[in-house]
């Protein structure tokens, strides 16, 4: 499966591209905004394409052409305002879904946020982020795309353990970015994750085994 990683230059994105490149089942295409970012991946032997989530649906569809799956790991980042969160985390995500449909790509995986589906559990400190994730997820669920929505807890830069807890509803928790990326990889062709949304935190069960319980 050829996988377009939207947000490949982000922390989760970089780990995921590396995992995909080492996989014997999938091939990554890194989607980035800048030429120097594309060169970074090309020097590692990774197919890279330059496209902007604030661009058009047609441009995003062209970037995804020839791929079998899109993984949306992009985010505006913690240092931008609510306007960028709206443009990237919400509109950028929805445009990428429209681009998938336009390019004839059915498989779509998106990284959301823990409890994004329950307004009463949103963090006031980053409420616009939760709003963006909530509505992007709802739009995705209304499409005909074969989606998986992964809602990780607090993201850590610690080494992954390879063990998680995944369920429709989980209490607050944290998880290394590496384990989020591993979960994305494992979910790509795991039927139990098809048209499913779930919270994800560190746990005691190996990722592949936990996903089969969904």
């Amino acid at each position: 499966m050829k996988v377009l990683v939207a947000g490949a230059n982000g922390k989760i994105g970089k780990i995921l591209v590396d995992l995909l490149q080492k996989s014997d089942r999938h091939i990554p295409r890194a989607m980035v905004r800048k030429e120097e970012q594309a060169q970074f991946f090309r020097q590692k032997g990774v197919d890279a394409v330059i496209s902007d989530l604030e661009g058009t649906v047609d441009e995003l569809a062209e970037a995804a052409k020839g791929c079998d799956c899109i993984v949306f790991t992009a985010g505006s980042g913690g240092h931008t305002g609510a306007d960028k969160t709206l443009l990237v985390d919400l509109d950028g995500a929805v445009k990428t879904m429209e681009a998938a449909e336009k390019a004839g790509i059915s498989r779509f995986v998106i990284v959301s946020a823990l409890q994004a589906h329950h307004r009463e559990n949103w963090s006031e400190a980053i409420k616009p982020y939760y709003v963006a994730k909530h509505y992007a997820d709802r739009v995705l669920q209304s499409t005909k795309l074969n989606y998986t929505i992964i809602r990780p807890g607090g993201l850590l830069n610690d080494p992954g353990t390879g063990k998680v807890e995944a369920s429709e509803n989980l209490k607050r928790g944290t998880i290394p970015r590496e384990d989020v990326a591993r979960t994305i990889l494992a979910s790509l062709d795991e039927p139990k994750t098809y048209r499913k949304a779930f919270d994800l935190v560190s746990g005691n069960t190996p990722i592949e085994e936990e996903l089969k319980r969904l």
Side-chain angles (χ1 to χ4, degrees):
M1 190 186 295
K2 184 144 194 176
V3 182
L4 179 76
V5 180
N9 199 56
K11 291 179 181 178
I12 292 174
K14 280 182 176 175
I15 298 169
L16 178 61
V17 168
D18 189 49
L19 291 172
L20 287 164
Q21 190 180 24
K22 292 174 181 174
S23 165
D24 57 1
R25 297 175 63 85
H26 308 294
I27 302 167
R29 175 183 290 168
M31 191 181 98
V32 294
R33 289 187 300 118
K34 300 175 182 177
E35 178 62 36
E36 58 264 34
Q37 295 168 346
Q39 287 301 325
F40 167 82
F41 287 107
R42 288 169 184 153
Q43 286 168 5
K44 297 177 71 173
V46 174
D47 179 19
V49 62
I50 299 170
S51 193
D52 195 327
L53 291 168
E54 294 184 54
T56 67
V57 172
D58 284 345
E59 288 167 347
L60 292 168
E62 184 62 30
K65 196 173 179 180
C67 290
D68 307 294
C69 170
I70 295 177
V71 177
F72 190 91
T73 68
S76 58
H79 304 296
T80 59
D83 55 341
K84 279 292 183 184
T85 301
L86 183 69
L87 292 170
V88 174
D89 297 80
L90 178 52
D91 194 43
V94 174
K95 282 191 291 190
T96 307
M97 297 167 204
E98 293 172 5
E101 292 174 323
K102 193 175 185 72
I105 298 167
S106 62
R107 189 78 177 101
F108 198 102
V109 181
I110 193 168
V111 178
S112 182
L114 191 80
Q115 289 292 296
H117 56 316
H118 287 146
R119 291 187 183 94
E120 62 273 18
N121 294 331
W122 293 353
S123 166
E124 286 294 325
I126 51 172
K127 201 165 188 178
Y129 174 78
Y130 271 94
V131 171
K133 292 298 186 185
H134 176 83
Y135 286 101
D137 294 352
R138 284 178 63 167
V139 171
L140 181 54
Q141 288 171 312
S142 74
T143 70
K144 293 180 180 178
L145 294 169
N146 181 14
Y147 67 81
T148 298
I149 298 169
I150 300 172
R151 300 187 297 253
L155 298 170
L156 307 173
N157 290 324
D158 300 349
T161 65
K163 295 183 177 180
V164 299
E165 182 179 1
S167 182
E168 184 179 351
N169 287 292
L170 291 173
K171 294 179 181 178
R172 294 291 163 197
T174 58
I175 184 167
R177 287 177 170 85
E178 183 182 341
D179 282 336
V180 176
R182 288 181 182 176
T183 301
I184 295 168
L185 179 69
S187 75
L188 291 179
D189 44 20
E190 171 49 65
K192 290 283 191 176
T193 71
Y194 294 174
R195 295 192 67 83
K196 293 270 184 72
F198 55 90
D199 288 343
L200 182 75
V201 297
S202 291
N204 301 313
T205 308
I207 291 168
E208 290 81 2
E209 187 180 327
E210 183 72 349
L211 293 184
K212 290 183 186 301
R213 295 178 180 179
L214 290 170

